[in-house]
Amino acid sequence: MSSLVNRLALVRSDKKYAWTAVALWMLVIFAFSAQAHSGDITAQVLHDFNYIGRKAAHMCEYAILFLLCRNAAKLTWARHPSLIAFAITVLYSMSDEYHQSFVPGRTATINDVIYDSCGALAAWLVISIWLRLRQ
């Protein structure tokens, strides 16, 4: 367990590892987006909660991306890491929606970009409150 903690601390303090974590998470998002007909598949499991579950997943995956980007931006530029992280997250969300337009059974919608952005904004709000409470 201490080995895992040490590795996580390394990601938080070394920009090479921090940006690698960002890239790996982007690959995870890309892999989920590349699944053909995923809405139909999740509907079989989630039934009436399919829409809510999928949008909640959008928000969570982009909240995580925001936090990883914020950490990497803070280590790289130090000024305005949240703004930089938000911009990266929204741009990636837009590119991901474009990618989905080529996947069978998937569509690209501005609504999903809005959900993704809301997830990033929620993470930004939580981290801002947490940092203020820490001071």
Side-chain angles (χ1 to χ4, degrees):
M1 184 64 150
S2 65
S3 170
L4 177 61
V5 171
N6 290 339
R7 287 185 189 141
L8 290 174
L10 190 59
V11 169
R12 286 189 39 194
S13 63
D14 185 308
K15 66 181 171 184
K16 175 178 66 172
Y17 291 110
W19 286 112
T20 300
V22 170
L24 289 173
W25 190 248
M26 286 178 168
L27 285 172
V28 167
I29 293 171
F30 184 88
F32 280 120
S33 294
Q35 293 178 331
H37 306 284
S38 66
D40 298 333
I41 295 166
T42 58
Q44 293 173 359
V45 176
L46 299 176
H47 306 290
D48 292 340
F49 298 103
N50 187 42
Y51 184 82
I52 293 170
R54 291 179 64 81
K55 299 315 164 193
H58 267 270
M59 292 178 73
C60 289
E61 67 187 354
Y62 281 89
I64 292 167
L65 180 60
F66 171 83
L67 294 171
L68 291 170
C69 286
R70 187 190 181 283
N71 180 57
K74 184 179 174 193
L75 293 170
T76 305
W77 296 291
R79 294 193 63 171
H80 311 293
S82 293
L83 185 60
I84 293 166
F86 185 74
I88 292 169
T89 302
V90 171
L91 288 171
Y92 189 74
S93 172
M94 292 166 63
S95 72
D96 184 55
E97 287 302 309
Y98 180 70
H99 160 245
Q100 285 182 36
S101 70
F102 297 100
V103 177
R106 302 294 301 265
T107 58
T109 67
I110 191 68
N111 286 345
D112 282 348
V113 174
I114 292 169
Y115 281 110
D116 299 341
S117 301
C118 286
L121 281 173
W124 190 348
L125 179 64
V126 168
I127 198 86
S128 296
I129 291 169
W130 183 73
L131 289 172
R132 286 181 195 243
L133 291 175
R134 249 182 63 186
Q135 289 178 348

